[in-house]
Amino acid sequence: SPRHAGLLMTKGLYLDGRTLEGEISPETMRLLEERTAELGISLAEVMFMKPWFCSLTIYLKGLEKDGLDANYGLDAHFYMRARMEGKETAALETADFQVGLLSALAEGDQEELLRQTLMDEGFFAGGMDELYRAWEEGDADLIARYMEESLGAYPKMKDIFLDSRNLSWIAPIEEMLRAGENALVVVGAGHLVG
């Protein structure tokens, strides 16, 4: 939505004259130059982004390169279907919460997130094809291995983006079950094995 795009711009861009190059290490900058070239992104496009927003942008461009589009994810599919059928929808988290989670990361953690994204060889070497097949076939072990390879060296990020969020979802899901609601809960594949 335009409001969420505005929120991303407000929270995700340096608005004080700083640049990404001035806020990250030369090694991270070198990795960024390599990955943006691979993805066909100009450095100018990301230069005023904070590291977390740059990481998100690189990730989404990588998915796009692999032929995937976040606008056609299962969450969007089931949300639109529920709306067309007049069914009630609810979110375990809001977009504001998710942006807040990313933007609240300390500068060093933001750079760590960016480096993690840039160094994820599986992701940049077509690893998403393997992950997609694992999801399609219900191969939880392969999804778990992928998540471990991706996040294993970054326990703090794993806690922030998977473990803590999974724990916070328990109460609302249990409440739906106690209320006897007929509900479908849609989450990313990593949350199912994390």
Side-chain angles (χ1 to χ4, degrees):
S1 75
R3 188 181 82 70
H4 291 128
L7 179 65
L8 281 171
M9 294 298 141
T10 302
K11 298 276 190 178
L13 297 177
Y14 289 115
L15 303 174
D16 57 5
R18 290 185 292 162
T19 65
L20 184 58
E21 185 173 20
E23 299 299 315
I24 61 177
S25 70
E27 174 63 18
T28 303
M29 189 63 204
R30 185 190 60 72
L31 288 168
L32 180 62
E33 290 169 352
E34 290 173 12
R35 293 303 189 201
T36 52
E38 287 175 35
L39 294 170
I41 302 171
S42 78
L43 279 175
E45 287 179 66
V46 299
M47 200 47 63
F48 291 99
M49 292 180 179
K50 293 180 180 177
W52 72 264
F53 191 38
C54 183
S55 175
L56 180 62
T57 301
I58 296 289
Y59 179 77
L60 292 174
K61 287 287 191 180
L63 291 178
E64 188 179 292
K65 183 180 177 192
D66 279 351
L68 301 173
D69 184 338
N71 293 315
Y72 297 105
L74 279 181
D75 54 343
H77 167 81
F78 284 113
Y79 175 76
M80 291 308 296
R81 185 169 168 185
R83 295 282 309 253
M84 290 187 311
E85 294 177 11
K87 294 181 179 178
E88 182 181 341
T89 61
L92 293 170
E93 298 173 339
T94 64
D96 290 355
F97 171 82
Q98 292 173 345
V99 170
L101 193 67
L102 291 160
S103 65
L105 290 172
E107 289 283 330
D109 292 337
Q110 287 188 37
E111 181 170 354
E112 182 178 321
L113 177 65
L114 177 58
R115 283 182 61 82
Q116 174 192 352
T117 301
L118 296 171
M119 293 175 65
D120 189 343
E121 291 297 332
F123 177 71
F124 286 98
M128 291 306 291
D129 292 340
E130 184 178 13
L131 183 60
Y132 180 75
R133 265 193 315 282
W135 171 82
E136 203 171 38
E137 296 169 6
D139 188 339
D141 291 335
L142 183 56
I143 294 169
R145 277 196 307 277
Y146 179 87
M147 296 307 294
E148 180 58 32
E149 288 171 12
S150 181
L151 290 173
Y154 306 95
K156 185 174 184 178
M157 295 300 153
K158 182 178 181 290
D159 179 58
I160 292 168
F161 296 115
L162 280 180
D163 300 340
S164 294
R165 293 168 66 206
N166 285 356
L167 289 173
S168 73
W169 297 341
I170 292 171
I173 292 171
E174 285 179 339
E175 181 55 37
M176 282 188 271
L177 294 171
R178 271 194 297 280
E181 295 180 32
N182 186 6
L184 170 67
V185 178
V186 179
V187 299
H191 291 286
L192 298 175
V193 296

